[in-house]
Amino acid sequence: VIGGGSAGLSVAAVAAQMGAETVLIEKGKMGGDCLNYGCVPSKSLLAAAHAAVLSGVAPAFGVTFDPPRIDPAGVRRHVRDIIEGIAPHDSVERFEGLGVRIIQAHARFEDPDVVAAGGTRVRARWFVLATGSSPVVPAIPGLADVAFLTNETIFDADGLPGHLVILGGGPIGVEMAQAHRRLGSAVTLIEMATILEREDPELVGIVRSHLLADGVTLHEGTRAVRIDRGSEGVSLTAIGPDGAARTIEGSHLLVATGRKPVVQDLGLDRAGIDHGPNGIVVDRRLRTTNRRVFAIGDVAGGPMFTHVALYHAGIAIRNALLRWPAKADHRTVPRVTYTHPELAQVGWTEAEARQRDGNAVRVLRWPYRENDRARTERLTEGMIKAVVTSRGRILGAGIVGAAAGELIQTWILAIEQHLSIGAVAKSMVPYPTLGEISKRAAGSFYAPRLFGPRMRAIVRLLARIG
Ligand SMILES: Cc1cc2nc3c(=O)[nH]c(=O)nc-3n(C[C@H](O)[C@H](O)[C@H](O)COP(=O)(O)OP(=O)(O)OC[C@H]3O[C@@H](n4cnc5c(N)ncnc54)[C@H](O)[C@@H]3O)c2cc1C
């Protein structure tokens, strides 16, 4: 197994416990991006950021705190502490305990069935490439000459930036914008298109209004064309939607303009493994063009999420160790942006559904403000939007609001198990919970029929019969 991130570690742990002789090669930190530079530090930083605004929401409950004082060193300690708490699970010691041989070095194919790493040559029946992804650094004039941050450095930076300029309004850029703003940094986010472009614009609108209310300065439809050192630290020249150039100054620059699969310096050509700009070429069984080699996780060019990496690991294990022709299916990969409010999506958005199924699509909405639990918690901002066919087949669901990442799980299960909207409408959910939002949205599918003239006529007729 090459790469000890979410994908590689998962394969190695399962393979060793199933009795396969397993070698794991990792050149950097065990745990890869998710633990060290991705999901864990970003969600930990967001948790600190949300704690920082509690004093602002508490007065509505009749509770007041002193205004928050943010200790940047304390915030860093919190993030490190969370990483260190999870790290033993991904450690060399744990994996050696499971019977995995670990080589801490850079791995490279020498032959189609031989990998060399740290002076050792490993010949194996099966290889799993799980080398992950790295930040894309765009070719903007001047960028190479200024200091900038990426996800690999921002969580280790000393203190908190005075004014963070973020290039890129995808999930990483948007999460980092809210986290830093709520922790006291000034934040300016520049996005060529719109923030969270892939998501349902109606749901994104609610995230956008919260970012603005937090005090994030957003420049959408704005393209950075030149970057220089500035008086504060960095100075960007950008062209706005009106075609006019503007200058944006900040103390720090975070580049969050996307991720690219790590395919370089792996000896792929010597091993007969095809690859392109989207990563390693794989078939649905995640086999590369070298039949001994699987590619999984971010490097396989599909959706780049930890849950996808773990799912891929299961596919590779079944194919390699059990000779079971399991295939990857990315149609129901869920995604969550962990801002306040969270934004979660599974399956098609309304626009995707309309593009494919035309006007036969029905959209079911339910707002958080109609939910009693949301009211008791004062979390009334948000909504669910489910997209179904006229016969009640669920095509997708999006939720923006508190705990959206948890609430979406009903819809993931429903779509994966081909349940109809009726199954969600009929399930009994405890009162008062946010989960009732899903049930009420699903129930609204039946409202026109249930409360329409035909039903009224039937009820009146039955009453007359006695
Ligand atoms: C800021 C940020 C936040 C994120 N938040 C989320 C989130 O909330 N939820 C979510 O699902 N996903 C999130 N992701 C995505 C998630 O981190 C990745 O999808 C996941 O880490 C992919 O796992 P992987 O095993 O494919 O790759 P990685 O975790 O990148 O692991 C690859 C490993 O391979 C090693 N390696 C590379 N080349 C070699 C070589 N030649 N020899 C030896 N070792 C090598 C690397 O050192 C690395 O440790 C986030 C990503 C970022 C950047």
Short mmCIF file of all heavy atoms in Angstrom, two decimals, residues 99-138:
data_model
loop_
_atom_site.label_atom_id
_atom_site.label_comp_id
_atom_site.label_asym_id
_atom_site.label_seq_id
_atom_site.Cartn_x
_atom_site.Cartn_y
_atom_site.Cartn_z
N GLY A 99 0.09 -5.99 12.55
CA GLY A 99 0.87 -6.90 11.71
C GLY A 99 1.28 -6.30 10.38
O GLY A 99 1.76 -7.01 9.49
N VAL A 100 1.11 -4.97 10.23
CA VAL A 100 1.51 -4.31 8.98
C VAL A 100 2.99 -3.95 9.08
O VAL A 100 3.43 -3.41 10.11
CB VAL A 100 0.69 -3.02 8.74
CG1 VAL A 100 1.12 -2.31 7.47
CG2 VAL A 100 -0.81 -3.35 8.70
N ARG A 101 3.74 -4.21 8.01
CA ARG A 101 5.12 -3.73 7.99
C ARG A 101 5.10 -2.31 7.42
O ARG A 101 4.54 -2.07 6.36
CB ARG A 101 5.95 -4.65 7.11
CG ARG A 101 7.36 -4.18 7.01
CD ARG A 101 8.28 -5.20 6.41
NE ARG A 101 9.52 -4.55 6.12
CZ ARG A 101 10.25 -4.78 5.05
NH1 ARG A 101 9.87 -5.68 4.18
NH2 ARG A 101 11.37 -4.11 4.87
N ILE A 102 5.70 -1.38 8.16
CA ILE A 102 5.66 0.03 7.72
C ILE A 102 7.05 0.43 7.22
O ILE A 102 8.05 0.19 7.90
CB ILE A 102 5.31 0.96 8.90
CG1 ILE A 102 4.07 0.48 9.66
CG2 ILE A 102 5.16 2.41 8.43
CD1 ILE A 102 2.77 0.95 9.15
N ILE A 103 7.05 1.07 6.08
CA ILE A 103 8.30 1.68 5.59
C ILE A 103 8.05 3.18 5.49
O ILE A 103 7.12 3.61 4.79
CB ILE A 103 8.70 1.11 4.21
CG1 ILE A 103 8.88 -0.41 4.30
CG2 ILE A 103 9.96 1.79 3.69
CD1 ILE A 103 9.16 -1.08 2.96
N GLN A 104 8.84 3.96 6.21
CA GLN A 104 8.64 5.41 6.18
C GLN A 104 9.60 6.04 5.18
O GLN A 104 10.73 6.42 5.53
CB GLN A 104 8.80 5.99 7.58
CG GLN A 104 7.62 5.57 8.46
CD GLN A 104 7.72 6.07 9.87
OE1 GLN A 104 8.49 5.52 10.68
NE2 GLN A 104 6.96 7.09 10.17
N ALA A 105 9.18 6.07 3.93
CA ALA A 105 10.03 6.58 2.86
C ALA A 105 9.17 6.85 1.63
O ALA A 105 8.00 6.48 1.59
CB ALA A 105 11.08 5.52 2.51
N HIS A 106 9.81 7.48 0.65
CA HIS A 106 9.12 7.75 -0.62
C HIS A 106 9.10 6.46 -1.44
O HIS A 106 10.13 5.80 -1.61
CB HIS A 106 9.89 8.84 -1.38
CG HIS A 106 9.24 9.24 -2.66
ND1 HIS A 106 8.56 10.43 -2.79
CD2 HIS A 106 9.15 8.61 -3.86
CE1 HIS A 106 8.09 10.51 -4.02
NE2 HIS A 106 8.42 9.41 -4.68
N ALA A 107 7.94 6.11 -1.98
CA ALA A 107 7.82 4.87 -2.78
C ALA A 107 7.77 5.21 -4.27
O ALA A 107 7.20 6.24 -4.65
CB ALA A 107 6.56 4.14 -2.39
N ARG A 108 8.35 4.32 -5.05
CA ARG A 108 8.39 4.54 -6.51
C ARG A 108 8.42 3.17 -7.18
O ARG A 108 9.15 2.28 -6.71
CB ARG A 108 9.69 5.30 -6.81
CG ARG A 108 9.80 5.96 -8.13
CD ARG A 108 11.11 6.73 -8.24
NE ARG A 108 11.17 7.95 -7.43
CZ ARG A 108 11.93 8.11 -6.35
NH1 ARG A 108 12.71 7.12 -5.91
NH2 ARG A 108 11.92 9.25 -5.69
N PHE A 109 7.63 2.98 -8.23
CA PHE A 109 7.68 1.70 -8.95
C PHE A 109 9.01 1.58 -9.71
O PHE A 109 9.43 2.55 -10.34
CB PHE A 109 6.54 1.60 -9.97
CG PHE A 109 5.23 1.16 -9.34
CD1 PHE A 109 4.30 2.10 -8.94
CD2 PHE A 109 4.96 -0.19 -9.15
CE1 PHE A 109 3.11 1.71 -8.35
CE2 PHE A 109 3.76 -0.60 -8.56
CZ PHE A 109 2.84 0.35 -8.16
N GLU A 110 9.62 0.39 -9.64
CA GLU A 110 10.80 0.12 -10.46
C GLU A 110 10.43 -0.76 -11.63
O GLU A 110 11.04 -0.71 -12.69
CB GLU A 110 11.85 -0.58 -9.61
CG GLU A 110 12.58 0.39 -8.72
CD GLU A 110 13.86 -0.19 -8.17
OE1 GLU A 110 13.99 -1.43 -8.14
OE2 GLU A 110 14.72 0.62 -7.76
N ASP A 111 9.46 -1.62 -11.39
CA ASP A 111 8.96 -2.56 -12.40
C ASP A 111 7.46 -2.68 -12.18
O ASP A 111 6.95 -2.25 -11.15
CB ASP A 111 9.62 -3.94 -12.19
CG ASP A 111 11.03 -3.96 -12.74
OD1 ASP A 111 11.22 -3.50 -13.88
OD2 ASP A 111 11.94 -4.42 -12.00
N PRO A 112 6.78 -3.36 -13.11
CA PRO A 112 5.33 -3.50 -12.91
C PRO A 112 4.95 -4.22 -11.61
O PRO A 112 3.84 -4.05 -11.12
CB PRO A 112 4.90 -4.32 -14.13
CG PRO A 112 5.91 -3.97 -15.18
CD PRO A 112 7.21 -3.79 -14.45
N ASP A 113 5.87 -5.00 -11.04
CA ASP A 113 5.52 -5.69 -9.79
C ASP A 113 6.53 -5.43 -8.67
O ASP A 113 6.62 -6.19 -7.71
CB ASP A 113 5.39 -7.20 -10.02
CG ASP A 113 6.69 -7.82 -10.52
OD1 ASP A 113 7.62 -7.05 -10.89
OD2 ASP A 113 6.79 -9.05 -10.52
N VAL A 114 7.29 -4.33 -8.80
CA VAL A 114 8.28 -4.01 -7.76
C VAL A 114 8.22 -2.52 -7.42
O VAL A 114 8.27 -1.67 -8.31
CB VAL A 114 9.72 -4.36 -8.20
CG1 VAL A 114 10.73 -3.95 -7.13
CG2 VAL A 114 9.85 -5.85 -8.49
N VAL A 115 8.15 -2.24 -6.11
CA VAL A 115 8.21 -0.85 -5.64
C VAL A 115 9.46 -0.71 -4.76
O VAL A 115 9.74 -1.61 -3.95
CB VAL A 115 6.94 -0.50 -4.83
CG1 VAL A 115 7.17 0.69 -3.93
CG2 VAL A 115 5.77 -0.22 -5.78
N ALA A 116 10.18 0.38 -4.95
CA ALA A 116 11.36 0.62 -4.11
C ALA A 116 11.06 1.77 -3.16
O ALA A 116 10.44 2.76 -3.55
CB ALA A 116 12.56 0.98 -4.98
N ALA A 117 11.47 1.60 -1.91
CA ALA A 117 11.26 2.66 -0.91
C ALA A 117 12.30 2.53 0.17
O ALA A 117 12.46 1.44 0.76
CB ALA A 117 9.86 2.55 -0.30
N GLY A 118 13.03 3.62 0.42
CA GLY A 118 13.99 3.65 1.51
C GLY A 118 14.97 2.49 1.50
O GLY A 118 15.24 1.89 2.55
N GLY A 119 15.47 2.14 0.33
CA GLY A 119 16.48 1.08 0.25
C GLY A 119 15.88 -0.32 0.25
O GLY A 119 16.61 -1.31 0.18
N THR A 120 14.57 -0.44 0.30
CA THR A 120 13.93 -1.76 0.27
C THR A 120 13.18 -1.91 -1.05
O THR A 120 12.59 -0.96 -1.55
CB THR A 120 12.90 -1.88 1.41
OG1 THR A 120 13.56 -1.53 2.62
CG2 THR A 120 12.31 -3.27 1.52
N ARG A 121 13.24 -3.12 -1.61
CA ARG A 121 12.45 -3.41 -2.81
C ARG A 121 11.31 -4.32 -2.39
O ARG A 121 11.54 -5.34 -1.75
CB ARG A 121 13.30 -4.07 -3.88
CG ARG A 121 14.41 -3.15 -4.38
CD ARG A 121 15.27 -3.85 -5.41
NE ARG A 121 14.72 -3.74 -6.75
CZ ARG A 121 14.39 -4.76 -7.52
NH1 ARG A 121 14.52 -5.99 -7.08
NH2 ARG A 121 13.91 -4.56 -8.74
N VAL A 122 10.09 -3.94 -2.73
CA VAL A 122 8.93 -4.75 -2.33
C VAL A 122 8.30 -5.32 -3.60
O VAL A 122 7.87 -4.58 -4.48
CB VAL A 122 7.88 -3.90 -1.58
CG1 VAL A 122 6.71 -4.76 -1.13
CG2 VAL A 122 8.51 -3.18 -0.40
N ARG A 123 8.29 -6.67 -3.65
CA ARG A 123 7.60 -7.32 -4.76
C ARG A 123 6.28 -7.83 -4.19
O ARG A 123 6.27 -8.42 -3.11
CB ARG A 123 8.45 -8.49 -5.28
CG ARG A 123 7.93 -9.13 -6.55
CD ARG A 123 8.81 -10.31 -6.94
NE ARG A 123 10.18 -9.91 -7.21
CZ ARG A 123 10.62 -9.47 -8.39
NH1 ARG A 123 9.79 -9.37 -9.40
NH2 ARG A 123 11.87 -9.13 -8.56
N ALA A 124 5.18 -7.57 -4.88
CA ALA A 124 3.90 -7.95 -4.28
C ALA A 124 2.94 -8.47 -5.33
O ALA A 124 3.09 -8.21 -6.52
CB ALA A 124 3.27 -6.73 -3.59
N ARG A 125 1.96 -9.24 -4.85
CA ARG A 125 0.91 -9.73 -5.75
C ARG A 125 -0.01 -8.56 -6.13
O ARG A 125 -0.43 -8.45 -7.27
CB ARG A 125 0.13 -10.83 -5.02
CG ARG A 125 -1.08 -11.35 -5.77
CD ARG A 125 -0.62 -12.23 -6.95
NE ARG A 125 -1.73 -12.58 -7.84
CZ ARG A 125 -2.16 -11.81 -8.84
NH1 ARG A 125 -1.60 -10.66 -9.10
NH2 ARG A 125 -3.15 -12.20 -9.61
N TRP A 126 -0.33 -7.72 -5.15
CA TRP A 126 -1.22 -6.58 -5.37
C TRP A 126 -0.58 -5.31 -4.81
O TRP A 126 0.05 -5.35 -3.75
CB TRP A 126 -2.56 -6.77 -4.65
CG TRP A 126 -3.32 -7.99 -5.00
CD1 TRP A 126 -3.52 -9.09 -4.21
CD2 TRP A 126 -3.98 -8.27 -6.23
NE1 TRP A 126 -4.26 -10.01 -4.86
CE2 TRP A 126 -4.57 -9.54 -6.11
CE3 TRP A 126 -4.13 -7.57 -7.42
CZ2 TRP A 126 -5.30 -10.14 -7.13
CZ3 TRP A 126 -4.86 -8.16 -8.44
CH2 TRP A 126 -5.44 -9.43 -8.29
N PHE A 127 -0.81 -4.21 -5.50
CA PHE A 127 -0.41 -2.90 -4.97
C PHE A 127 -1.65 -2.01 -4.90
O PHE A 127 -2.54 -2.12 -5.75
CB PHE A 127 0.60 -2.20 -5.90
CG PHE A 127 1.94 -2.89 -5.94
CD1 PHE A 127 2.19 -3.89 -6.88
CD2 PHE A 127 2.93 -2.55 -5.05
CE1 PHE A 127 3.42 -4.54 -6.93
CE2 PHE A 127 4.17 -3.19 -5.09
CZ PHE A 127 4.40 -4.19 -6.03
N VAL A 128 -1.67 -1.16 -3.90
CA VAL A 128 -2.74 -0.15 -3.83
C VAL A 128 -2.07 1.22 -3.77
O VAL A 128 -1.30 1.51 -2.86
CB VAL A 128 -3.63 -0.35 -2.59
CG1 VAL A 128 -4.67 0.76 -2.50
CG2 VAL A 128 -4.32 -1.71 -2.63
N LEU A 129 -2.36 2.03 -4.78
CA LEU A 129 -1.81 3.40 -4.83
C LEU A 129 -2.81 4.32 -4.14
O LEU A 129 -3.95 4.42 -4.58
CB LEU A 129 -1.70 3.84 -6.28
CG LEU A 129 -0.36 3.71 -6.96
CD1 LEU A 129 -0.53 4.05 -8.44
CD2 LEU A 129 0.67 4.63 -6.34
N ALA A 130 -2.38 4.96 -3.08
CA ALA A 130 -3.28 5.85 -2.34
C ALA A 130 -2.50 7.09 -1.93
O ALA A 130 -2.37 7.42 -0.75
CB ALA A 130 -3.83 5.12 -1.12
N THR A 131 -1.98 7.78 -2.96
CA THR A 131 -1.05 8.88 -2.70
C THR A 131 -1.74 10.24 -2.55
O THR A 131 -1.09 11.26 -2.37
CB THR A 131 0.00 8.98 -3.83
OG1 THR A 131 -0.70 8.96 -5.08
CG2 THR A 131 0.96 7.81 -3.78
N GLY A 132 -3.06 10.26 -2.63
CA GLY A 132 -3.81 11.47 -2.27
C GLY A 132 -3.73 12.60 -3.27
O GLY A 132 -3.52 12.39 -4.47
N SER A 133 -3.87 13.82 -2.77
CA SER A 133 -3.89 15.00 -3.63
C SER A 133 -3.12 16.12 -2.95
O SER A 133 -2.78 16.03 -1.76
CB SER A 133 -5.33 15.44 -3.88
OG SER A 133 -5.95 15.78 -2.66
N SER A 134 -2.85 17.17 -3.72
CA SER A 134 -2.14 18.32 -3.16
C SER A 134 -2.81 19.60 -3.69
O SER A 134 -3.55 19.55 -4.68
CB SER A 134 -0.65 18.27 -3.54
OG SER A 134 -0.54 18.35 -4.93
N PRO A 135 -2.54 20.74 -3.03
CA PRO A 135 -3.21 21.96 -3.47
C PRO A 135 -2.79 22.38 -4.88
O PRO A 135 -1.61 22.26 -5.23
CB PRO A 135 -2.75 23.01 -2.45
CG PRO A 135 -1.95 22.30 -1.42
CD PRO A 135 -1.65 20.93 -1.89
N VAL A 136 -3.75 22.85 -5.65
CA VAL A 136 -3.44 23.45 -6.95
C VAL A 136 -2.97 24.88 -6.70
O VAL A 136 -3.63 25.62 -5.97
CB VAL A 136 -4.71 23.50 -7.84
CG1 VAL A 136 -4.49 24.37 -9.07
CG2 VAL A 136 -5.14 22.10 -8.23
N VAL A 137 -1.84 25.23 -7.28
CA VAL A 137 -1.38 26.63 -7.17
C VAL A 137 -1.53 27.25 -8.55
O VAL A 137 -0.84 26.86 -9.49
CB VAL A 137 0.08 26.69 -6.66
CG1 VAL A 137 0.56 28.14 -6.61
CG2 VAL A 137 0.18 26.03 -5.30
N PRO A 138 -2.47 28.18 -8.72
CA PRO A 138 -2.75 28.70 -10.06
C PRO A 138 -1.60 29.54 -10.60
O PRO A 138 -0.81 30.09 -9.82
CB PRO A 138 -4.01 29.55 -9.87
CG PRO A 138 -4.03 29.89 -8.42
CD PRO A 138 -3.30 28.83 -7.68
#
